[in-house]
């Protein structure tokens, strides 16, 4: 089931200008600037492969958030080196994904509880519908004459 996404009018999260979002997430100007910044970061990492995120940000003038997103997306070849960056929820250093294992566990638990509540509510509504039905009358024909 492949649904095509229709473009929507949004404000660019980076510059605030109004743009037609076709899936890039920002206006075309900011998108191109972000791609150029990513190219600078990649070139710097190729030149200095054992640099830290802080060194990358300082030397390229890039925001930590962008470099962290690039690491999360797997845009760097690591040669077994584990880059650490903060968990998006609690800030604990992690080396893959967006959340640490503890936050993932909490998120999964919250999702399960929410699903359980929704299922319980649905069952209660179905029971209420059954109770509110009027009794039906069934006619039985007698075979006696």
């Amino acid at each position: 089931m492949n649904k095509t996404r229709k473009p929507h009018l949004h404000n660019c999260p980076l510059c605030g200008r109004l743009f037609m979002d076709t899936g890039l997430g920002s206006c075309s100007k900011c998108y191109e600037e972000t791609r150029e910044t990513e190219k600078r970061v990649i070139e710097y990492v190729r030149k200095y492969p054992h640099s830290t995120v802080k060194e990358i940000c300082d030397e390229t003038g890039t925001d930590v958030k962008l470099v962290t997103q690039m690491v999360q997306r797997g845009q760097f070849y690591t040669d077994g080196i584990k880059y650490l960056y903060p968990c998006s929820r609690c800030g604990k250093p992690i080396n893959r994904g967006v959340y640490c294992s503890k936050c993932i566990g909490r998120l999964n638990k919250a999702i399960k509880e929410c699903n359980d509540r929704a299922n319980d509510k649905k069952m209660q509504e179905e029971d209420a519908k059954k109770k509110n039905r009027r009794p039906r009358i069934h006619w039985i024909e007698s075979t006696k004459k």
Side-chain angles (χ1 to χ4, degrees), residues 37-71:
T37 304
E38 286 180 354
K39 287 178 186 175
R40 272 197 328 268
V41 168
I42 290 170
E43 288 301 316
Y44 180 81
V45 171
R46 283 185 184 148
K47 193 172 181 181
Y48 304 101
H50 299 291
S51 54
T52 65
V53 172
K54 183 174 179 357
E55 291 170 348
I56 294 169
C57 293
D58 292 343
E59 293 298 320
T60 61
T62 308
D63 186 32
V64 174
K65 185 177 178 180
L66 178 64
V67 175
T68 302
Q69 288 173 348
M70 292 174 72
V71 172

Side-chain angles (χ1 to χ4, degrees), residues 15-133:
C15 69
R17 275 186 255 149
L18 198 60
F19 75 105
M20 188 66 72
D21 187 7
T22 58
L24 298 177
S26 61
C27 69
S28 58
K29 183 180 177 187
C30 290
Y31 178 79
E32 290 302 321
E33 288 174 1
T34 302
R35 293 297 155 243
E36 290 299 318
T37 304
E38 286 180 354
K39 287 178 186 175
R40 272 197 328 268
V41 168
I42 290 170
E43 288 301 316
Y44 180 81
V45 171
R46 283 185 184 148
K47 193 172 181 181
Y48 304 101
H50 299 291
S51 54
T52 65
V53 172
K54 183 174 179 357
E55 291 170 348
I56 294 169
C57 293
D58 292 343
E59 293 298 320
T60 61
T62 308
D63 186 32
V64 174
K65 185 177 178 180
L66 178 64
V67 175
T68 302
Q69 288 173 348
M70 292 174 72
V71 172
Q72 289 172 344
R73 288 191 304 248
Q75 287 186 264
F76 300 117
Y77 177 70
T78 60
D79 282 337
I81 299 169
K82 301 232 178 193
Y83 287 99
L84 295 177
Y85 51 91
C87 167
S88 293
R89 186 178 174 278
C90 70
K92 177 183 171 185
I94 57 175
N95 61 5
R96 64 183 162 89
V98 179
Y99 301 108
C100 67
S101 58
K102 191 174 183 179
C103 290
I104 288 174
R106 286 181 179 167
L107 182 62
N108 287 335
K109 183 179 177 185
I111 290 170
K112 184 182 180 317
E113 288 173 359
C114 187
N115 285 338
D116 290 346
R117 279 194 301 258
N119 288 337
D120 288 345
K121 184 176 180 181
K122 185 176 178 181
M123 293 297 287
Q124 288 174 355
E125 288 173 356
E126 288 175 4
D127 289 344
K129 283 182 183 177
K130 287 178 184 176
K131 287 179 182 178
N132 290 337
R133 287 186 185 159

